[in-house]
């Protein structure tokens, strides 16, 4: 459960920096989107999911831009939502976590050992260490409470 909290905090921070950009013209590429967004601040990543039902160079008309800083992302939304790029009006909003997963997933979730371990309830070294640290913090807090009420 604490892993979920850590992941939700990570995804919360990421979600404030990651933008959904809809209404992309077919000719827009990563470099085009980067050029349109870079004036607002350093960009961590850009992802325009391809449309495999068409040809390889085609995309689905939307993408994701992750800024280094949430303030830069907010500035980009303010300036670019409703703006025109290559003849099409953009819809720029904060990305929702499920949208980001859809865009960034280049391989099946079950292709990783972590997914199988999670499904089987197997703990990895990292999760064991995290749980041990959290338990230490809980025990310390309990000791402080007991000491302050005595």
């Amino acid at each position: 459960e604490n892993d979920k909290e850590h992941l939700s905090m990570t995804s919360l921070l990421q979600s404030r920096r990651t933008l959904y950009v809809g209404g992309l013209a077919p000719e827009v590429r990563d470099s085009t989107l980067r050029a349109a967004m870079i004036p607002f601040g350093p960009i961590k990543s850009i992802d325009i999911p391809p449309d495999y039902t068409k040809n390889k160079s085609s995309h689905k008309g939307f993408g994701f831009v992750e800024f280094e800083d949430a303030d830069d992302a907010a500035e980009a939304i303010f300036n670019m939502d409703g703006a025109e790029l290559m003849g099409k009006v953009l819809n720029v909003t904060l990305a929702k976590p499920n949208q980001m997963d859809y865009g960034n997933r280049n391989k099946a979730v079950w292709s990783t050992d972590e997914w199988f371990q999670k499904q089987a309830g197997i703990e990895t070294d990292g999760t064991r260490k995290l749980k041990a640290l959290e338990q230490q913090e809980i025990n310390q807090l309990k000791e402080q409470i007991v000491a302050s009420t005595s």
Side-chain angles (χ1 to χ4, degrees), residues 74-117:
E75 195 67 27
I77 291 171
F78 181 77
N79 286 282
M80 295 301 288
D81 186 40
E84 201 173 292
L85 180 65
M86 298 183 120
K88 292 197 72 180
V89 177
L90 299 178
N91 171 22
V92 183
T93 61
L94 281 177
K96 296 176 184 141
N98 62 336
Q99 287 175 323
M100 292 184 295
D101 286 346
Y102 178 77
N104 290 332
R105 189 173 297 137
N106 293 326
K107 54 186 174 185
V109 292
W110 54 86
S111 67
T112 64
D113 288 341
E114 292 83 15
W115 186 85
F116 278 114
Q117 290 168 344

